[in-house]
Amino acid sequence: MFSTNFCGYNYTNPDYDVIDRPCGCSEHLFLYFQTPMRILLEGTLYEAAPGACIFITKNTKTYYEAVRSFTNSFVHIKEDELIDYLKSKYPFIPVNKLFYLPDTDVINSILKDIFREFVTKDYMYEETIDLLIKSLLIQIARQLKATSAMPQEHIEVYDIFQKARLTILSNPSEPWDSQSMARLTNLGSSQFYQYYKSFFNETPKAELLTVRLEKARYMLIHESYSIALVAEYSGFPNLSHFTRFFKKKYGVTPGEYRRTKTSSID
């Protein structure tokens, strides 16, 4: 179980402040810089832009200074096995090196939740902190893996596409077309499709079709709506199109699927 002795969210120090720990910390430290910093790594002073992240292993010399204002979020992780855990599950997460993620909002949100649990110590807070730290590692690994082979200019728009993708797939009954999806990213349709497929290895229409069919399949079993309404509520205004897509995906018509599944439940 992972735990923390100290953590901070949007933590502010005086301008130009310096953190200098010649012998490092007694715990591993994850830092998320929200303002420009300079950080010493292996004898070299590096510029860290806002959004930079780093895992600093325990007992590692630690020096960083604010270029001017000083704001960061962080969590000290007590357990020695963190590094072995990273090596076995997420070997591409670097340690003692700066790295950047396309969506740092989700990272800082998790750090906020860790801080809240640490401060309030509500019921089962230790278990919750363990889950949150593991969620932090998953989010970091997911973003690094998704962007590892991308050129820098693609990484800069990846977060925009993730948010657009979530909007589309969370609202499958909306009448999405190429233009309305592309407008979420302020790009033209062809450029939107090109980026989308390169990021997610699938076209937006194919992903949307999958989500619509999954919603319809659930409703056929668990709701009493007519098949026409199931089609409409799932994003298929044309019943014949819905039937054709459904049979291609599941091998039976919506009516046959409902009869088979509901009879097995009875």
Side-chain angles (χ1 to χ4, degrees):
M1 179 179 289
F2 292 123
S3 59
T4 182
N5 279 328
F6 190 43
C7 55
Y9 168 70
N10 291 357
Y11 198 88
T12 300
N13 286 20
D15 288 356
Y16 306 106
D17 199 11
V18 174
I19 303 298
D20 186 7
R21 304 184 183 113
C23 298
C25 298
S26 58
E27 306 97 7
H28 306 297
L29 172 63
F30 174 74
L31 286 167
Y32 161 56
F33 294 135
Q34 293 165 264
T35 54
M37 298 281 181
R38 300 185 187 93
I39 183 167
L40 189 67
L41 299 171
E42 297 181 344
T44 301
L45 197 62
Y46 291 90
E47 298 286 335
C53 301
I54 187 170
F55 276 104
I56 301 177
T57 53
K58 64 181 293 186
N59 303 324
T60 297
K61 176 180 173 62
T62 303
Y63 178 95
Y64 55 97
E65 59 187 27
V67 173
R68 184 175 180 179
S69 59
F70 188 120
T71 304
N72 66 358
S73 295
F74 60 89
V75 57
H76 291 257
I77 302 173
K78 295 192 297 184
E79 287 68 30
D80 290 343
E81 60 266 24
L82 172 67
I83 302 306
D84 289 337
Y85 184 86
L86 291 179
K87 287 180 180 178
S88 64
K89 294 185 70 69
Y90 313 116
F92 44 86
I93 295 181
V95 295
N96 299 320
K97 293 180 181 179
L98 290 171
F99 59 90
Y100 294 86
L101 302 170
D103 185 5
T104 52
D105 287 345
V106 68
I107 300 302
N108 207 34
S109 177
I110 295 172
L111 291 169
K112 178 182 179 180
D113 291 341
I114 293 172
F115 177 72
R116 183 176 61 242
E117 293 293 329
F118 178 71
V119 171
T120 61
K121 293 180 171 52
D122 287 335
Y123 175 62
M124 295 190 72
Y125 79 94
E126 293 171 314
E127 290 82 355
T128 305
I129 288 175
D130 172 60
L131 293 173
L132 287 168
I133 290 175
K134 289 174 180 174
S135 179
L136 175 69
L137 300 178
I138 290 170
Q139 285 294 334
I140 292 170
R142 180 178 289 175
Q143 293 191 43
L144 287 175
K145 189 170 180 62
T147 59
S148 60
M150 290 183 191
Q152 184 60 38
E153 62 269 21
H154 285 198
I155 294 175
E156 292 170 0
V157 298
Y158 177 79
D159 182 41
I160 296 172
F161 272 79
Q162 275 284 32
K163 290 174 181 175
R165 184 191 193 200
L166 181 60
T167 298
I168 294 165
L169 300 183
S170 298
N171 299 277
S173 59
E174 291 296 312
W176 296 106
D177 57 21
S178 301
Q179 290 72 33
S180 60
M181 288 190 284
R183 277 197 295 271
L184 295 173
T185 62
N186 295 318
L187 294 174
S189 297
S190 60
Q191 195 174 16
F192 170 78
Y193 267 67
Q194 182 180 355
Y195 271 119
Y196 195 103
K197 189 166 185 180
S198 70
F199 289 151
F200 309 122
N201 298 314
E202 189 57 275
T203 67
K205 285 189 175 180
E207 286 204 314
L208 181 58
L209 177 61
T210 297
V211 171
R212 284 173 168 170
L213 289 172
E214 287 173 349
K215 181 177 181 179
R217 185 165 64 107
Y218 177 87
M219 292 178 70
L220 286 168
I221 300 173
H222 299 285
E223 304 289 352
S224 59
Y225 300 126
S226 68
I227 291 175
L229 281 178
V230 168
E232 180 183 342
Y233 293 161
S234 302
F236 295 95
N238 186 301
L239 181 57
S240 63
H241 288 174
F242 168 59
T243 301
R244 184 174 74 252
F245 284 125
F246 193 95
K247 186 171 183 179
K248 183 177 179 180
K249 174 74 172 180
Y250 299 111
V252 292
T253 66
E256 291 168 338
Y257 185 87
R258 168 175 272 175
R259 286 192 296 273
T260 302
K261 294 300 180 180
T262 54
S263 64
S264 65
I265 291 173
D266 295 339

